[in-house]
Amino acid sequence: MPIAVDIDVMLAKRKMSVGELAERVGITPANLAVLKNGRAKAVRFSTLAALCEVLECQPGDLLRWETDRAVDPTVL
């Protein structure tokens, strides 16, 4: 999937466990693990906002787009 999830990076920066984040956000640790491991098909804006509030970050700190095709510089 071209959307990469960097929740684990922010957890490490904040020295916070998955369990603590799940509790503070109000979701189950299992659902947070699905999101964190990139297996989620969608995320609610309210969940994303809660994650950003607890982790004191921006949505772009948690999600980033990755291309899954090689770019040919001669085509540009």
Side-chain angles (χ1 to χ4, degrees):
M1 178 182 284
I3 301 296
V5 182
D6 291 327
I7 291 175
D8 53 344
V9 174
M10 292 306 298
L11 282 170
K13 286 182 179 180
R14 301 299 187 249
K15 296 180 172 68
M16 187 181 296
S17 70
V18 173
E20 180 183 353
L21 179 60
E23 183 178 324
R24 291 179 61 184
V25 169
I27 62 177
T28 67
N31 283 341
L32 182 57
V34 167
L35 181 59
K36 184 175 88 64
N37 295 324
R39 294 188 317 262
K41 299 292 183 199
V43 60
R44 293 176 187 220
F45 282 148
S46 58
T47 302
L48 183 58
L51 287 165
C52 290
E53 182 177 353
V54 171
L55 293 170
E56 298 177 353
C57 66
Q58 294 295 312
D61 296 325
L62 302 176
L63 304 172
R64 63 187 157 80
W65 180 78
E66 293 181 336
T67 183
D68 36 341
R69 57 182 151 74
V71 177
D72 183 355
T74 62
V75 176
L76 301 175

